[in-house]
Coordinates of all heavy atoms in Angstrom, one line a residue:
M1 N 0.8 -1.2 0.0 CA 0.0 0.0 0.0 C 0.9 1.2 0.0 O 1.9 1.3 0.7 CB -0.9 0.0 1.2 CG -2.0 1.0 1.2 SD -3.2 0.5 0.0 CE -4.6 1.4 0.6
S2 N 0.5 2.2 -0.8 CA 1.3 3.4 -0.9 C 1.0 4.4 0.2 O -0.1 4.3 0.8 CB 1.1 4.1 -2.3 OG -0.2 4.5 -2.4
A3 N 1.9 5.3 0.4 CA 1.6 6.4 1.4 C 0.5 7.3 0.8 O 0.5 7.6 -0.4 CB 2.9 7.2 1.6
P4 N -0.4 7.8 1.7 CA -1.4 8.7 1.2 C -0.9 10.1 0.8 O 0.2 10.5 1.3 CB -2.4 8.8 2.4 CG -1.5 8.5 3.6 CD -0.5 7.5 3.1
L5 N -1.6 10.7 -0.1 CA -1.3 12.1 -0.4 C -2.0 13.0 0.6 O -3.2 12.9 0.8 CB -1.8 12.4 -1.8 CG -1.7 13.8 -2.3 CD1 -0.3 14.3 -2.5 CD2 -2.5 14.0 -3.6
I6 N -1.2 13.9 1.3 CA -1.8 14.7 2.3 C -1.6 16.2 1.9 O -0.4 16.6 1.6 CB -1.2 14.4 3.7 CG1 -1.4 13.0 4.1 CG2 -1.6 15.4 4.7 CD1 -0.7 12.5 5.3
V7 N -2.6 17.0 2.0 CA -2.5 18.4 1.7 C -3.2 19.1 2.9 O -4.3 18.8 3.2 CB -3.3 18.8 0.4 CG1 -3.2 20.3 0.1 CG2 -2.7 18.0 -0.8
S8 N -2.5 20.1 3.4 CA -3.1 21.0 4.5 C -3.2 22.4 3.9 O -2.2 22.9 3.4 CB -2.2 20.9 5.7 OG -2.8 21.7 6.7
I9 N -4.4 23.0 4.1 CA -4.6 24.3 3.5 C -5.1 25.2 4.7 O -6.2 25.0 5.2 CB -5.7 24.2 2.4 CG1 -5.3 23.3 1.3 CG2 -6.0 25.6 1.9 CD1 -6.4 22.9 0.4
P10 N -4.3 26.2 5.0 CA -4.7 27.1 6.1 C -5.9 28.1 5.6 O -6.0 28.3 4.4 CB -3.5 27.9 6.4 CG -2.6 27.8 5.1 CD -3.0 26.5 4.5
H11 N -6.7 28.5 6.5 CA -7.7 29.5 6.2 C -8.1 30.3 7.4 O -7.7 29.9 8.5 CB -9.0 28.8 5.6 CG -9.7 27.9 6.6 ND1 -10.6 28.4 7.6 CD2 -9.7 26.6 6.9 CE1 -11.1 27.5 8.3 NE2 -10.5 26.3 7.9
S12 N -8.8 31.4 7.2 CA -9.2 32.2 8.3 C -10.7 32.4 8.3 O -11.2 33.4 8.9 CB -8.5 33.6 8.2 OG -8.8 34.2 7.0
L13 N -11.4 31.4 7.8 CA -12.9 31.5 7.7 C -13.6 31.0 8.9 O -14.8 31.3 9.1 CB -13.4 30.7 6.5 CG -12.8 31.1 5.1 CD1 -13.2 30.0 4.1 CD2 -13.4 32.5 4.8
G14 N -13.0 30.2 9.7 CA -13.7 29.5 10.8 C -14.3 28.2 10.2 O -14.4 28.0 9.0
R15 N -14.5 27.2 11.1 CA -14.9 25.9 10.6 C -16.3 25.9 9.8 O -16.4 25.3 8.8 CB -15.1 25.0 11.8 CG -15.4 23.5 11.5 CD -15.6 22.7 12.7 NE -14.3 22.6 13.4 CZ -14.1 21.9 14.5 NH1 -15.1 21.3 15.0 NH2 -12.9 21.9 15.1
E16 N -17.3 26.6 10.3 CA -18.6 26.5 9.7 C -18.6 27.1 8.3 O -19.1 26.5 7.4 CB -19.6 27.3 10.6 CG -19.9 26.6 11.9 CD -20.3 25.2 11.8 OE1 -21.2 24.8 10.9 OE2 -19.8 24.3 12.6
E17 N -17.9 28.2 8.1 CA -17.9 28.8 6.7 C -17.0 28.0 5.8 O -17.4 27.8 4.6 CB -17.3 30.2 6.8 CG -17.2 30.9 5.4 CD -18.5 31.1 4.6 OE1 -19.6 30.9 5.2 OE2 -18.4 31.4 3.4
A18 N -15.9 27.4 6.3 CA -15.1 26.6 5.5 C -15.9 25.3 5.0 O -15.8 24.9 3.9 CB -13.8 26.2 6.2
M19 N -16.7 24.7 5.9 CA -17.5 23.6 5.6 C -18.5 23.9 4.6 O -18.8 23.2 3.6 CB -18.1 23.0 6.9 CG -17.2 22.2 7.7 SD -17.9 21.6 9.2 CE -19.3 20.7 8.6
R20 N -19.2 25.1 4.7 CA -20.2 25.5 3.8 C -19.6 25.6 2.4 O -20.2 25.1 1.4 CB -20.8 26.9 4.2 CG -22.0 27.3 3.3 CD -22.4 28.8 3.6 NE -21.4 29.7 3.2 CZ -21.2 30.1 1.9 NH1 -21.9 29.5 1.0 NH2 -20.3 31.0 1.6
R21 N -18.5 26.2 2.3 CA -17.8 26.3 0.9 C -17.4 25.0 0.4 O -17.6 24.7 -0.8 CB -16.6 27.2 1.0 CG -17.0 28.7 1.3 CD -15.8 29.6 1.3 NE -16.2 30.9 1.7 CZ -15.4 32.0 1.5 NH1 -14.2 31.8 0.9 NH2 -15.8 33.2 1.9
L22 N -16.9 24.1 1.2 CA -16.5 22.8 0.8 C -17.6 21.9 0.3 O -17.4 21.0 -0.5 CB -15.6 22.1 1.8 CG -14.2 22.7 2.0 CD1 -13.6 22.1 3.3 CD2 -13.4 22.5 0.8
K23 N -18.8 22.1 0.9 CA -19.9 21.2 0.6 C -20.3 21.3 -0.8 O -20.9 20.4 -1.4 CB -21.1 21.4 1.6 CG -20.8 20.8 2.9 CD -22.0 21.0 3.9 CE -21.6 20.3 5.2 NZ -22.7 20.4 6.2
T24 N -20.1 22.5 -1.4 CA -20.3 22.6 -2.9 C -19.1 22.6 -3.7 O -19.2 22.4 -4.9 CB -21.1 24.0 -3.1 OG1 -20.2 25.0 -2.7 CG2 -22.4 24.0 -2.4
G25 N -17.9 22.7 -3.1 CA -16.7 22.8 -3.8 C -16.2 21.6 -4.5 O -15.6 21.6 -5.6
L26 N -16.4 20.4 -3.9 CA -15.8 19.1 -4.6 C -16.5 18.9 -5.9 O -15.9 18.6 -6.9 CB -16.0 17.9 -3.6 CG -15.4 16.6 -4.2 CD1 -13.9 16.7 -4.5 CD2 -15.7 15.5 -3.2
S27 N -17.8 18.9 -5.9 CA -18.5 18.7 -7.2 C -18.2 19.7 -8.2 O -18.1 19.4 -9.4 CB -20.0 18.6 -6.9 OG -20.3 17.5 -6.1
R28 N -18.1 21.0 -7.8 CA -17.8 22.1 -8.7 C -16.4 21.8 -9.3 O -16.1 22.0 -10.5 CB -17.8 23.4 -8.0 CG -19.2 24.0 -8.1 CD -19.2 25.5 -7.8 NE -18.1 26.0 -7.0 CZ -18.2 26.5 -5.8 NH1 -19.3 26.6 -5.2 NH2 -17.1 27.0 -5.2
A29 N -15.4 21.5 -8.4 CA -14.0 21.2 -8.9 C -14.0 20.1 -9.9 O -13.3 20.1 -10.9 CB -13.1 21.0 -7.7
A30 N -14.7 19.0 -9.6 CA -14.7 17.8 -10.4 C -15.4 18.2 -11.8 O -14.9 17.7 -12.8 CB -15.5 16.7 -9.8
A31 N -16.3 19.1 -11.8 CA -17.0 19.5 -13.1 C -16.0 20.2 -14.0 O -16.1 20.2 -15.2 CB -18.2 20.4 -12.8
N32 N -15.0 20.8 -13.4 CA -14.0 21.5 -14.2 C -12.8 20.6 -14.7 O -12.0 21.1 -15.4 CB -13.4 22.7 -13.4 CG -14.4 23.8 -13.1 OD1 -15.3 24.0 -13.9 ND2 -14.3 24.4 -12.0
V33 N -12.8 19.4 -14.2 CA -11.8 18.4 -14.6 C -12.5 17.3 -15.4 O -13.1 16.5 -14.8 CB -11.0 17.9 -13.4 CG1 -9.9 16.9 -13.8 CG2 -10.4 19.0 -12.6
R34 N -12.3 17.3 -16.7 CA -13.1 16.3 -17.5 C -12.8 14.9 -17.1 O -13.6 14.0 -17.3 CB -12.8 16.6 -18.9 CG -13.3 17.8 -19.5 CD -13.1 18.0 -20.9 NE -13.7 19.2 -21.4 CZ -13.5 19.7 -22.6 NH1 -12.8 19.0 -23.5 NH2 -14.0 20.8 -22.9
V35 N -11.6 14.6 -16.7 CA -11.2 13.2 -16.4 C -11.6 12.7 -15.0 O -11.2 11.6 -14.7 CB -9.7 12.9 -16.7 CG1 -9.4 13.2 -18.2 CG2 -8.9 13.8 -15.8
M36 N -12.3 13.6 -14.3 CA -12.6 13.2 -12.9 C -14.1 13.3 -12.6 O -14.7 14.2 -13.1 CB -11.8 14.1 -11.9 CG -12.0 13.7 -10.5 SD -11.0 14.7 -9.3 CE -12.0 16.1 -9.0
S37 N -14.6 12.4 -11.8 CA -16.0 12.4 -11.4 C -16.1 12.0 -10.0 O -15.3 11.2 -9.5 CB -16.9 11.5 -12.3 OG -16.5 10.2 -12.1
V38 N -17.0 12.6 -9.2 CA -17.2 12.3 -7.8 C -18.2 11.1 -7.8 O -19.3 11.2 -8.3 CB -17.8 13.5 -7.1 CG1 -18.1 13.2 -5.6 CG2 -16.9 14.7 -7.2
E39 N -17.8 10.0 -7.1 CA -18.7 8.9 -7.0 C -19.4 8.9 -5.6 O -20.5 8.3 -5.5 CB -17.8 7.6 -7.1 CG -17.4 7.3 -8.5 CD -16.9 5.9 -8.7 OE1 -16.6 5.2 -7.8 OE2 -16.8 5.5 -9.9
E40 N -18.7 9.4 -4.6 CA -19.3 9.5 -3.3 C -18.8 10.7 -2.5 O -17.6 11.0 -2.6 CB -19.0 8.2 -2.5 CG -19.5 8.1 -1.1 CD -19.1 6.9 -0.4 OE1 -18.4 6.1 -0.9 OE2 -19.5 6.8 0.8
E41 N -19.7 11.3 -1.8 CA -19.3 12.4 -0.9 C -20.2 12.3 0.3 O -21.4 12.4 0.2 CB -19.5 13.7 -1.7 CG -19.2 14.9 -0.9 CD -19.3 16.2 -1.7 OE1 -19.3 16.2 -2.9 OE2 -19.5 17.3 -1.0
R42 N -19.7 12.1 1.5 CA -20.5 11.9 2.7 C -19.9 12.7 3.8 O -18.7 12.6 4.1 CB -20.5 10.4 3.0 CG -21.4 10.0 4.2 CD -21.5 8.5 4.4 NE -20.2 8.1 4.9 CZ -19.4 7.2 4.3 NH1 -19.7 6.7 3.2 NH2 -18.2 6.8 4.9
W43 N -20.7 13.4 4.5 CA -20.3 14.3 5.6 C -20.7 13.6 6.9 O -21.8 13.1 7.1 CB -20.9 15.6 5.5 CG -20.2 16.5 4.5 CD1 -20.6 16.6 3.2 CD2 -19.1 17.4 4.7 NE1 -19.7 17.5 2.6 CE2 -18.8 18.0 3.5 CE3 -18.3 17.7 5.9 CZ2 -17.8 18.9 3.4 CZ3 -17.3 18.6 5.7 CH2 -17.0 19.2 4.5
D44 N -19.8 13.6 7.9 CA -20.1 13.2 9.3 C -19.4 14.2 10.2 O -18.2 14.1 10.4 CB -19.5 11.8 9.5 CG -19.8 11.2 10.9 OD1 -20.7 11.8 11.5 OD2 -19.1 10.3 11.3
G45 N -20.2 15.1 10.7 CA -19.6 16.2 11.5 C -18.8 17.1 10.6 O -19.2 17.6 9.5
N46 N -17.5 17.3 11.0 CA -16.6 18.1 10.2 C -15.7 17.3 9.3 O -14.7 17.8 8.8 CB -15.8 19.0 11.1 CG -14.8 18.2 12.0 OD1 -15.1 17.2 12.5 ND2 -13.6 18.8 12.2
R47 N -16.0 16.0 9.0 CA -15.2 15.2 8.1 C -16.1 14.8 6.9 O -17.2 14.3 7.1 CB -14.8 13.9 8.9 CG -14.1 13.0 7.9 CD -13.5 11.8 8.6 NE -12.1 12.2 9.0 CZ -11.2 11.3 9.4 NH1 -11.5 10.0 9.4 NH2 -10.0 11.7 9.8
M48 N -15.5 15.0 5.8 CA -16.1 14.5 4.5 C -15.3 13.3 4.0 O -14.1 13.5 3.8 CB -16.1 15.6 3.5 CG -16.7 15.1 2.1 SD -16.6 16.3 0.8 CE -14.9 16.6 0.6
S49 N -15.9 12.2 3.8 CA -15.3 11.1 3.1 C -15.7 11.2 1.7 O -16.9 11.5 1.4 CB -15.8 9.8 3.7 OG -15.5 9.7 5.1
F50 N -14.8 10.8 0.8 CA -15.1 10.9 -0.6 C -14.5 9.8 -1.4 O -13.5 9.1 -1.0 CB -14.7 12.3 -1.2 CG -13.2 12.5 -1.2 CD1 -12.4 12.1 -2.2 CD2 -12.6 13.1 -0.1 CE1 -11.1 12.3 -2.2 CE2 -11.3 13.3 -0.1 CZ -10.5 12.9 -1.1
R51 N -15.0 9.6 -2.6 CA -14.4 8.7 -3.6 C -14.6 9.3 -4.9 O -15.7 9.7 -5.3 CB -15.1 7.3 -3.5 CG -14.4 6.3 -4.4 CD -14.9 4.8 -4.2 NE -16.3 4.8 -4.6 CZ -17.3 4.3 -3.8 NH1 -17.0 4.0 -2.5 NH2 -18.5 4.3 -4.2
V52 N -13.5 9.4 -5.7 CA -13.5 10.0 -7.0 C -12.9 9.0 -8.0 O -12.2 8.1 -7.6 CB -12.7 11.4 -7.1 CG1 -13.4 12.4 -6.2 CG2 -11.3 11.2 -6.7
R53 N -13.3 9.2 -9.2 CA -12.8 8.4 -10.3 C -12.1 9.3 -11.3 O -12.6 10.3 -11.7 CB -13.9 7.6 -11.0 CG -13.4 6.7 -12.1 CD -14.6 5.9 -12.7 NE -15.1 4.9 -11.7 CZ -14.6 3.7 -11.5 NH1 -13.5 3.3 -12.2 NH2 -15.1 2.9 -10.6
A54 N -10.9 8.9 -11.6 CA -10.1 9.7 -12.6 C -9.3 8.7 -13.5 O -8.7 7.8 -12.9 CB -9.2 10.6 -11.9
L55 N -9.4 8.9 -14.8 CA -8.6 8.0 -15.7 C -9.0 6.5 -15.5 O -8.1 5.7 -15.6 CB -7.1 8.2 -15.6 CG -6.7 9.7 -15.9 CD1 -5.2 9.8 -15.6 CD2 -7.0 10.1 -17.3
G56 N -10.2 6.3 -15.1 CA -10.6 4.9 -14.9 C -10.2 4.3 -13.6 O -10.5 3.1 -13.3
Q57 N -9.6 5.1 -12.7 CA -9.1 4.6 -11.4 C -9.9 5.3 -10.3 O -10.3 6.4 -10.5 CB -7.6 5.0 -11.2 CG -6.7 4.5 -12.3 CD -6.6 3.0 -12.2 OE1 -6.2 2.4 -11.2 NE2 -6.9 2.3 -13.3
V58 N -10.0 4.6 -9.2 CA -10.8 5.1 -8.0 C -9.8 5.5 -6.9 O -8.9 4.8 -6.6 CB -11.8 4.1 -7.5 CG1 -12.4 4.6 -6.2 CG2 -12.8 3.8 -8.6
A59 N -10.0 6.7 -6.4 CA -9.2 7.2 -5.3 C -10.2 7.6 -4.2 O -11.2 8.1 -4.4 CB -8.4 8.5 -5.7
A60 N -9.8 7.2 -3.0 CA -10.7 7.5 -1.8 C -9.9 8.2 -0.7 O -8.7 8.1 -0.6 CB -11.2 6.2 -1.3
G61 N -10.6 9.1 0.0 CA -10.0 9.8 1.1 C -11.0 10.5 1.9 O -12.2 10.3 1.9
Y62 N -10.4 11.5 2.7 CA -11.3 12.3 3.5 C -10.7 13.7 3.7 O -9.5 13.9 3.4 CB -11.5 11.6 4.9 CG -10.3 11.4 5.7 CD1 -9.8 12.4 6.5 CD2 -9.6 10.2 5.6 CE1 -8.6 12.2 7.2 CE2 -8.4 10.0 6.3 CZ -8.0 10.9 7.1 OH -6.8 10.7 7.9
V63 N -11.6 14.6 4.1 CA -11.2 16.0 4.4 C -11.7 16.3 5.8 O -12.9 16.1 6.1 CB -11.9 16.9 3.4 CG1 -11.6 18.4 3.7 CG2 -11.5 16.6 1.9
D64 N -10.8 16.8 6.6 CA -11.1 17.2 8.0 C -11.1 18.7 7.9 O -10.1 19.3 7.6 CB -10.1 16.7 9.0 CG -10.3 15.2 9.3 OD1 -11.4 14.8 9.4 OD2 -9.3 14.5 9.4
V65 N -12.2 19.4 8.4 CA -12.3 20.8 8.4 C -12.1 21.3 9.9 O -12.9 20.9 10.7 CB -13.6 21.3 7.9 CG1 -13.7 22.8 7.9 CG2 -13.9 20.7 6.5
E66 N -11.1 22.1 10.1 CA -10.8 22.6 11.4 C -11.0 24.1 11.4 O -11.3 24.7 10.3 CB -9.4 22.3 11.9 CG -9.1 20.8 11.9 CD -10.0 20.0 12.9 OE1 -10.5 20.6 13.9 OE2 -10.2 18.8 12.7
D67 N -10.9 24.8 12.5 CA -11.1 26.2 12.6 C -10.1 27.0 11.8 O -10.5 28.1 11.2 CB -11.0 26.7 14.1 CG -12.2 26.2 14.9 OD1 -13.3 26.0 14.3 OD2 -12.0 26.0 16.1
S68 N -8.9 26.5 11.6 CA -7.9 27.3 11.0 C -7.2 26.6 9.7 O -6.4 27.2 9.1 CB -6.7 27.7 11.9 OG -6.1 26.5 12.4
H69 N -7.6 25.4 9.5 CA -7.1 24.7 8.3 C -8.0 23.6 7.9 O -8.8 23.1 8.6 CB -5.7 24.2 8.6 CG -5.6 23.1 9.6 ND1 -5.7 23.2 10.9 CD2 -5.5 21.7 9.4 CE1 -5.7 22.1 11.5 NE2 -5.6 21.1 10.6
V70 N -7.7 23.1 6.6 CA -8.4 22.0 6.1 C -7.3 20.9 5.8 O -6.3 21.3 5.2 CB -9.2 22.3 4.8 CG1 -9.7 21.1 4.1 CG2 -10.4 23.3 5.2
R71 N -7.5 19.7 6.1 CA -6.6 18.7 5.9 C -7.2 17.6 5.0 O -8.2 17.0 5.4 CB -6.1 18.0 7.2 CG -5.0 17.0 6.9 CD -4.6 16.4 8.3 NE -3.5 15.4 8.2 CZ -3.7 14.1 7.9 NH1 -4.9 13.6 7.7 NH2 -2.6 13.3 7.8
L72 N -6.6 17.4 3.8 CA -7.1 16.4 2.9 C -6.1 15.2 2.9 O -4.9 15.4 2.8 CB -7.2 17.0 1.5 CG -7.6 16.0 0.4 CD1 -8.7 16.5 -0.5 CD2 -6.4 15.6 -0.4
E73 N -6.7 14.0 2.9 CA -5.8 12.8 2.8 C -6.5 11.9 1.8 O -7.7 11.6 2.0 CB -5.7 12.1 4.2 CG -4.8 10.9 4.1 CD -4.4 10.3 5.5 OE1 -4.2 11.1 6.4 OE2 -4.4 9.1 5.6
V74 N -5.8 11.5 0.8 CA -6.3 10.6 -0.2 C -5.3 9.5 -0.6 O -4.1 9.8 -0.7 CB -6.7 11.4 -1.5 CG1 -5.6 12.1 -2.1 CG2 -7.4 10.5 -2.5
T75 N -5.8 8.3 -0.7 CA -5.0 7.2 -1.2 C -5.2 7.0 -2.7 O -6.3 6.8 -3.1 CB -5.3 5.9 -0.4 OG1 -5.2 6.2 1.0 CG2 -4.4 4.8 -0.8
L76 N -4.1 7.1 -3.4 CA -4.2 7.0 -4.9 C -3.8 5.6 -5.3 O -2.8 5.1 -4.8 CB -3.2 8.0 -5.5 CG -3.4 9.5 -5.2 CD1 -2.3 10.4 -5.7 CD2 -4.8 10.0 -5.7
P77 N -4.5 5.1 -6.3 CA -4.1 3.8 -6.9 C -2.8 4.0 -7.6 O -2.4 5.1 -8.0 CB -5.2 3.5 -7.8 CG -5.9 4.7 -8.1 CD -5.7 5.6 -6.9
W78 N -2.1 2.9 -7.9 CA -0.7 3.0 -8.5 C -0.7 3.9 -9.7 O 0.3 4.6 -9.9 CB -0.2 1.6 -8.7 CG -0.8 0.9 -9.8 CD1 -1.9 0.1 -9.7 CD2 -0.5 0.9 -11.2 NE1 -2.3 -0.4 -10.9 CE2 -1.4 0.0 -11.8 CE3 0.5 1.5 -11.9 CZ2 -1.3 -0.2 -13.2 CZ3 0.6 1.3 -13.3 CH2 -0.3 0.4 -13.9
L79 N -1.7 3.8 -10.6 CA -1.6 4.6 -11.9 C -1.7 6.1 -11.6 O -0.9 6.8 -12.2 CB -2.8 4.2 -12.8 CG -2.8 4.9 -14.1 CD1 -1.6 4.6 -15.0 CD2 -4.1 4.5 -14.9
L80 N -2.5 6.5 -10.6 CA -2.6 7.9 -10.3 C -1.4 8.4 -9.5 O -1.2 9.6 -9.4 CB -3.9 8.2 -9.6 CG -5.2 7.9 -10.5 CD1 -6.4 8.2 -9.7 CD2 -5.2 8.7 -11.8
Q81 N -0.7 7.5 -8.9 CA 0.5 8.0 -8.1 C 1.5 8.7 -8.9 O 2.2 9.6 -8.4 CB 1.1 6.8 -7.4 CG 0.3 6.2 -6.2 CD 1.0 5.0 -5.7 OE1 2.0 4.6 -6.1 NE2 0.2 4.3 -4.8
R82 N 1.5 8.4 -10.2 CA 2.4 9.1 -11.1 C 2.1 10.6 -11.2 O 2.9 11.4 -11.6 CB 2.4 8.4 -12.5 CG 2.7 6.9 -12.4 CD 2.7 6.4 -13.8 NE 3.9 6.9 -14.4 CZ 4.8 6.3 -15.1 NH1 4.6 5.0 -15.3 NH2 5.8 6.8 -15.7
F83 N 0.9 10.9 -10.9 CA 0.4 12.3 -11.0 C 0.3 13.0 -9.7 O -0.3 14.0 -9.5 CB -0.9 12.3 -11.8 CG -0.9 11.7 -13.1 CD1 -1.4 10.4 -13.3 CD2 -0.3 12.4 -14.2 CE1 -1.4 9.8 -14.5 CE2 -0.3 11.8 -15.4 CZ -0.8 10.5 -15.6
A84 N 0.8 12.4 -8.6 CA 0.7 12.8 -7.3 C 1.1 14.3 -7.1 O 0.4 15.1 -6.4 CB 1.3 11.9 -6.3
E85 N 2.3 14.6 -7.6 CA 2.8 16.0 -7.4 C 1.9 17.0 -8.1 O 1.6 18.1 -7.6 CB 4.2 16.1 -8.0 CG 5.2 15.5 -7.1 CD 6.6 15.7 -7.6 OE1 6.9 16.7 -8.2 OE2 7.5 14.8 -7.3
V86 N 1.4 16.7 -9.3 CA 0.5 17.6 -10.0 C -0.8 17.7 -9.3 O -1.3 18.8 -9.1 CB 0.3 17.1 -11.5 CG1 -0.8 17.9 -12.2 CG2 1.6 17.1 -12.3
A87 N -1.3 16.6 -8.8 CA -2.6 16.6 -8.1 C -2.4 17.4 -6.8 O -3.3 18.2 -6.4 CB -3.0 15.1 -7.7
Q88 N -1.3 17.2 -6.1 CA -1.1 18.0 -4.8 C -1.1 19.5 -5.1 O -1.8 20.2 -4.4 CB 0.2 17.6 -4.2 CG 0.4 18.2 -2.8 CD 1.6 17.6 -2.1 OE1 2.5 16.9 -2.7 NE2 1.7 17.8 -0.8
A89 N -0.4 19.9 -6.1 CA -0.4 21.3 -6.5 C -1.8 21.9 -6.9 O -2.2 22.9 -6.4 CB 0.6 21.6 -7.6
A90 N -2.5 21.1 -7.6 CA -3.8 21.5 -8.1 C -4.8 21.6 -6.9 O -5.6 22.5 -6.8 CB -4.4 20.5 -9.1
I91 N -4.7 20.6 -6.0 CA -5.6 20.6 -4.8 C -5.3 21.8 -3.9 O -6.1 22.5 -3.4 CB -5.4 19.3 -4.0 CG1 -6.0 18.1 -4.8 CG2 -6.1 19.4 -2.6 CD1 -5.6 16.7 -4.2
Q92 N -4.0 22.1 -3.7 CA -3.5 23.2 -2.9 C -4.1 24.5 -3.5 O -4.7 25.3 -2.8 CB -2.0 23.2 -2.8 CG -1.5 24.3 -1.9 CD -1.5 23.8 -0.5 OE1 -1.3 22.7 -0.2 NE2 -1.8 24.7 0.4
K93 N -3.9 24.7 -4.8 CA -4.4 25.9 -5.5 C -5.9 26.1 -5.4 O -6.4 27.1 -5.1 CB -3.9 25.9 -6.9 CG -4.3 27.2 -7.7 CD -3.8 27.2 -9.1 CE -4.2 28.4 -9.8 NZ -3.8 28.4 -11.2
S94 N -6.6 25.0 -5.8 CA -8.1 25.1 -5.8 C -8.6 25.3 -4.4 O -9.5 26.1 -4.2 CB -8.7 23.8 -6.3 OG -8.3 23.6 -7.7
G95 N -8.0 24.6 -3.4 CA -8.4 24.8 -2.0 C -8.2 26.2 -1.5 O -9.0 26.8 -0.8
Q96 N -7.1 26.8 -1.8 CA -6.8 28.2 -1.4 C -7.8 29.1 -2.0 O -8.2 30.1 -1.4 CB -5.3 28.5 -1.7 CG -4.4 27.9 -0.8 CD -2.9 28.2 -1.2 OE1 -2.6 28.5 -2.4 NE2 -2.0 28.1 -0.3
L97 N -8.1 28.9 -3.3 CA -9.1 29.8 -4.0 C -10.5 29.7 -3.3 O -11.1 30.7 -3.1 CB -9.2 29.5 -5.4 CG -8.0 29.9 -6.3 CD1 -8.2 29.3 -7.7 CD2 -7.9 31.4 -6.4
L98 N -10.8 28.4 -3.0 CA -12.1 28.2 -2.4 C -12.2 28.8 -0.9 O -13.3 29.2 -0.5 CB -12.4 26.7 -2.3 CG -13.8 26.2 -1.9 CD1 -14.8 26.7 -2.8 CD2 -13.8 24.7 -1.8
L99 N -11.1 28.7 -0.2 CA -11.1 29.1 1.2 C -10.6 30.5 1.4 O -10.3 30.9 2.6 CB -10.3 28.1 2.0 CG -10.8 26.7 2.0 CD1 -9.9 25.7 2.6 CD2 -12.2 26.6 2.7
T100 N -10.4 31.3 0.4 CA -10.0 32.7 0.5 C -11.2 33.5 0.9 O -12.3 33.4 0.3 CB -9.3 33.2 -0.8 OG1 -8.2 32.4 -1.1 CG2 -8.9 34.7 -0.6
K101 N -11.0 34.4 1.8 CA -12.1 35.3 2.2 C -12.6 36.1 1.0 O -11.8 36.6 0.3 CB -11.7 36.2 3.4 CG -11.8 35.6 4.7 CD -11.8 36.7 5.8 CE -12.0 36.0 7.1 NZ -12.1 37.0 8.2
R102 N -13.9 36.3 0.9 CA -14.5 37.1 -0.2 C -15.4 38.1 0.5 O -16.1 37.9 1.4 CB -15.3 36.3 -1.2 CG -14.5 35.2 -1.8 CD -15.3 34.5 -2.8 NE -15.1 33.1 -2.5 CZ -15.7 32.1 -3.2 NH1 -16.6 32.4 -4.0 NH2 -15.4 30.9 -3.0

């Protein structure tokens, strides 16, 4: 089993506002990436478990929303591990845009 991809994104929104934005953010982000689709998204308190499909592969993980940061952990199948650095940078950028105060 490979090591999970972990991304931590700081924010100053507070937990409730960050969760509100994230509840619509995953599906919107997936809609902008043609090769990715959201298969499952389930919230339990401040944790979202998810499963996405990209390039015919399934990746699963979770997002923990805290008062000052969001932590994403996803386990990538071997084929998608080749794109881990690109995925990490894209997740970081998209997350920062979503969690920036407006």
Side-chain angles (χ1 to χ4, degrees):
M1 191 70 159
S2 64
L5 173 67
I6 299 171
V7 178
S8 183
I9 303 167
H11 68 82
S12 58
L13 299 171
R15 183 182 298 179
E16 295 304 315
E17 176 62 13
M19 284 177 55
R20 186 189 69 75
R21 291 184 185 195
L22 288 170
K23 285 184 179 181
T24 60
L26 180 60
S27 295
R28 274 198 335 246
N32 293 327
V33 180
R34 291 183 179 173
V35 297
M36 186 174 87
S37 63
V38 178
E39 290 193 343
E40 179 183 0
E41 181 178 336
R42 185 178 68 242
W43 283 90
D44 183 18
N46 66 321
R47 174 175 272 198
M48 175 183 63
S49 300
F50 65 89
R51 188 172 60 238
V52 295
R53 181 175 295 273
L55 302 172
Q57 304 290 304
V58 175
Y62 59 88
V63 176
D64 287 319
V65 182
E66 301 299 336
D67 291 330
S68 63
H69 70 282
V70 171
R71 183 180 183 276
L72 175 135
E73 183 171 320
V74 61
T75 302
L76 300 172
W78 69 271
L79 181 63
L80 295 180
Q81 288 173 6
R82 303 184 70 132
F83 303 101
E85 285 183 30
V86 173
Q88 186 172 16
I91 292 166
Q92 188 80 37
K93 182 179 179 182
S94 295
Q96 286 175 336
L97 288 174
L98 187 64
L99 296 171
T100 299
K101 276 195 173 182
R102 301 180 227 178

